[in-house]
Amino acid sequence: MRGKFRTFGLSAVASVSAALLTSVAPTAVLAQQAQCATEEEGPSKTLSPRIGQEIQELYEFMQNDQWNEALAGFNNLVSSRGDSMSAYERSTVLELRANVKVNTDDFRGALRDMEGALQANGLPPARNNQLRYFIAQLNFQLEDYQTAITGLNTWINLARQCNVSVDPNAWYLLAAAYASVEPPNYRSAEQPIENALEGMEEPRKSYFDLANLVYSELNNNTKRVGLLERMVNLWPNERGYWTQLSGAYSTMERDRDAFSVLEVAYRAGLLETESELITLINYYSFFENPFRGATMLEREMNAGNIDRDQDNLILLSQLWSQAREHKKSIPILREAAGNSSQGELSYRLGQVLLADEQYAASQRALEAAINKGGMDQKDTGDAWLLLGTARFSQAGPSDTGRWNTARQAFRNAQRYSGARRRATEWISYINAVESTYWDGLDLQYRQDMEACAADIARFERDRRIRDLQNRAVDPAEEQREAERIEACNELEAAGIPSQRRGGAAPAESSSEDDESGAGDAEDAEEENAPEEDAEATNEE
């Protein structure tokens, strides 16, 4: 008999194959070994000479695959002699005609003939049970799964009563029926498919696929992992088995095994989809080998196997940064940030540039991030914090202008709870640096004024000595004294440095005004607080 195929979900394939439909092993065993009944019981089990002759002629058509001729002959035999046939003859003719109909894909007609042969009850018990088996197969083929389940269970119970082992094909068919009924009954399918696996003489891929489906639907990862381990050894070129085994390992939190399986599959050229490749790349990162992950991602991007989209560019930059290859991550992030209207990628670029001590470029990236916006509260506060760091890192020992712009960025960072403490510490540090700077200038001013006073006193003393000695003044010396006195007068007129700078000296902490009145409204303050435009304080 010829069969058709039915595909189940989850990439597992369970099929009613020709081998299953044509399997006569269960019937042969029943016929030879059944001791539940004998051939001699019941009505006559022989064919009349005329019926036997006609069947023999039609059987020759069947052997030559002349199905249409055979079907026409059996139809004529049933219509012309059906009423006069014995029960055995009728059952035999209907059984043979069902065989012909299966081979012409008339499964429904074959089912009617099989059921008619069984109802005629003219065959020995073993052959009647054979009919039940084929009826169940046909019901499965016609997708009447519940009826197939009932018939198969009846056939299996009768076989067991006769102490006959059940063929693994029957167990497989029963499991497939349970998996196909609506709703699927995977729990009932579990034992039959395990019986089929245990009874098979050589590996049957369809059996393993169905068992894989059943274990997956039952979330029985322990059994599924053991099954898939056998499957990748039996069919090593089946890429789906490798990825499923990796996924099952991952579900059981056996990440090292999941990683190893994917790596073996990749080296064998079995990973094809972007999702599979990205999963392996992420495992490289997870197991602290980001350099290999970045190298693989870049290679697969260049080969066109992974899209060069925003998410993958971000992943590539993260892997290079994790591998401390900042210079390789920078152009990747710059490319991604340039194509984004949101600030997040510019913020990440600023982070990497700052880590690479490219302070001016980091400042530009962070200012772009803040001006683009779209970041959450944490990243926005951190962006202001890093911007202040980038600005301050460019300042020289007397660059008060950069100190001020850095301090303003830190003041904005104080508006965010996650950055507030560090921003306040930075402001205190800048204030201390600036205070030390001005204190140094004031000290130098006082020392310079003391030197001026000493020089002027010396000039006056020298003048009196010259007058007493009635000695002429050296013009060059007189010129030098005049220039020195003029410089001292200008120094005195300028005043103390710390008092002549713009505004008063900064307080030790500039967070007080920002934090006042926060209390329970802290989140609202963070969300609605006005911020300095980052471009407004970019002195470059």
Side-chain angles (χ1 to χ4, degrees):
M1 298 183 183
R2 292 179 294 179
K4 292 184 178 179
F5 297 93
R6 174 176 175 79
T7 300
F8 300 95
L10 201 76
S11 78
V13 178
S15 59
V16 181
S17 63
L20 181 58
L21 282 175
T22 58
S23 173
V24 296
T27 307
V29 173
L30 283 172
Q32 295 170 15
Q33 300 180 2
Q35 299 178 3
C36 302
T38 64
E39 295 284 343
E40 288 74 18
E41 292 178 348
S44 172
K45 299 299 186 292
T46 60
L47 300 172
S48 66
R50 188 164 184 177
I51 295 294
Q53 179 62 35
E54 292 191 43
I55 289 177
Q56 179 62 36
E57 293 173 359
L58 295 174
Y59 190 72
E60 291 179 3
F61 285 131
M62 295 171 64
Q63 286 183 314
N64 295 323
D65 291 340
Q66 295 176 270
W67 305 111
N68 291 330
E69 292 81 353
L71 180 59
F74 278 116
N75 288 341
N76 180 63
L77 181 59
V78 170
S79 62
S80 62
R81 300 185 180 279
D83 293 339
S84 62
M85 291 182 188
S86 68
Y88 177 73
E89 291 172 336
R90 182 169 182 80
S91 293
T92 300
V93 169
L94 290 177
E95 180 185 21
L96 290 171
R97 188 173 70 171
N99 193 344
V100 173
K101 288 181 178 180
V102 166
N103 282 279
T104 59
D105 291 340
D106 181 11
F107 299 111
R108 203 165 292 281
L111 176 62
R112 287 194 296 270
D113 280 352
M114 289 282 187
E115 290 175 338
L118 183 62
Q119 290 170 1
N121 197 28
L123 301 176
R127 285 183 62 187
N128 275 336
N129 210 29
Q130 171 191 6
L131 291 176
R132 293 186 183 93
Y133 181 57
F134 286 136
I135 287 170
Q137 290 178 308
L138 288 167
N139 278 313
F140 187 102
Q141 193 74 19
L142 294 168
E143 300 183 4
D144 187 355
Y145 302 117
Q146 191 58 58
T147 302
I149 289 169
T150 301
L152 283 167
N153 280 321
T154 299
W155 180 85
I156 289 170
N157 289 334
L158 287 172
R160 285 177 159 177
Q161 289 173 17
C162 297
N163 296 319
V164 176
S165 63
V166 178
D167 186 88
N169 285 327
W171 289 120
Y172 167 70
L173 186 63
L174 179 59
Y178 278 124
S180 301
V181 74
E182 288 294 336
N185 188 348
Y186 295 109
R187 181 64 61 192
S188 295
E190 183 177 15
Q191 189 59 56
I193 193 58
E194 289 178 351
N195 291 343
L197 289 172
E198 183 179 354
M200 65 183 180
E201 295 182 357
E202 58 182 35
R204 297 285 294 273
K205 190 169 180 293
S206 57
Y207 290 13
F208 280 87
D209 285 333
L210 181 55
N212 183 27
L213 169 65
V214 170
Y215 292 150
S216 174
E217 293 295 330
L218 294 176
N219 293 318
N220 192 333
N221 289 303
T222 300
K223 286 187 176 181
R224 189 175 183 224
V225 160
L227 181 79
L228 284 166
E229 287 173 342
R230 294 173 63 189
M231 292 169 74
V232 297
N233 285 308
L234 290 168
W235 299 283
N237 292 324
E238 283 288 337
R239 51 178 301 275
Y241 295 161
W242 292 92
T243 56
Q244 289 180 57
L245 178 57
S246 177
Y249 279 141
S250 178
T251 302
M252 297 177 69
E253 299 183 354
R254 294 172 59 179
D255 293 310
R256 175 65 70 178
D257 291 327
F259 170 45
S260 298
V261 165
L262 277 188
E263 192 171 35
V264 170
Y266 178 68
R267 291 176 178 175
L270 297 175
L271 299 188
E272 296 178 355
T273 69
E274 178 173 313
S275 174
E276 293 166 352
L277 295 169
I278 292 294
T279 298
L280 176 57
I281 289 166
N282 283 323
Y283 271 128
Y284 280 123
S285 173
F286 182 76
F287 287 108
E288 299 182 357
N289 196 345
F291 186 89
R292 179 170 290 184
T295 302
M296 174 183 168
L297 178 54
E298 199 163 59
R299 180 173 60 249
E300 296 299 333
M301 277 184 172
N302 293 335
N305 298 323
I306 293 179
D307 290 337
R308 198 177 183 86
D309 57 23
Q310 292 289 83
D311 289 340
N312 292 333
L313 287 172
I314 292 171
L315 175 59
L316 180 57
S317 69
Q318 290 173 334
L319 289 167
W320 283 129
S321 294
Q322 186 182 352
R324 302 190 183 281
E325 295 282 349
H326 298 301
K327 293 189 183 299
K328 290 186 177 181
S329 71
I330 288 170
I332 303 299
L333 262 181
R334 186 173 280 123
E335 177 185 350
N339 296 327
S340 175
S341 61
Q342 300 295 305
E344 180 184 0
L345 295 180
S346 295
Y347 162 61
R348 294 187 183 185
L349 175 60
Q351 284 180 305
V352 175
L353 289 166
L354 188 63
D356 198 45
E357 299 182 358
Q358 298 187 41
Y359 301 121
S362 174
Q363 175 182 328
R364 290 191 294 271
L366 291 165
E367 287 170 349
I370 292 169
N371 291 328
K372 285 180 181 179
M375 297 181 291
D376 60 24
Q377 294 290 304
K378 179 183 182 303
D379 286 350
T380 303
D382 286 346
W384 280 113
L385 192 68
L386 295 178
L387 177 57
T389 305
R391 287 175 175 175
F392 182 81
S393 298
Q394 298 174 71
S398 61
D399 200 340
T400 57
R402 288 188 186 274
W403 294 344
N404 285 332
T405 60
R407 182 164 40 224
Q408 186 57 54
F410 289 129
R411 283 175 177 162
N412 279 316
Q414 284 181 315
R415 301 179 186 275
Y416 300 87
S417 59
R420 182 171 297 143
R421 180 184 59 80
R422 289 171 293 165
T424 300
E425 290 173 353
W426 262 107
I427 289 172
S428 297
Y429 176 70
I430 293 176
N431 290 345
V433 170
E434 191 172 32
S435 178
T436 299
Y437 168 72
W438 287 112
D439 287 346
L441 290 182
D442 288 349
L443 176 60
Q444 184 63 49
Y445 175 80
R446 288 192 295 270
Q447 291 174 343
D448 290 344
M449 288 302 298
E450 290 174 358
C452 281
D455 287 344
I456 292 173
R458 180 170 55 79
F459 295 157
E460 180 63 24
R461 185 177 63 253
D462 290 346
R463 184 184 63 77
R464 290 177 181 173
I465 292 174
R466 285 196 304 272
D467 288 346
L468 290 174
Q469 294 177 347
N470 198 24
R471 179 165 49 87
V473 179
D474 181 358
E477 183 180 352
E478 187 177 33
Q479 177 66 27
R480 286 194 296 272
E481 291 178 357
E483 290 174 356
R484 174 61 174 154
I485 292 171
E486 182 180 1
C488 288
N489 289 336
E490 290 177 356
L491 180 63
E492 183 179 18
I496 300 173
S498 63
Q499 294 179 354
R500 67 173 182 258
R501 62 176 172 166
E508 283 302 309
S509 172
S510 54
S511 64
E512 182 177 349
D513 291 339
D514 290 321
E515 294 181 344
S516 61
D520 296 333
E522 178 181 284
D523 292 338
E525 176 192 346
E526 289 180 5
E527 189 171 324
N528 301 308
E531 294 180 348
E532 165 204 4
D533 190 323
E535 291 180 347
T537 59
N538 183 1
E539 67 275 14
E540 293 191 343

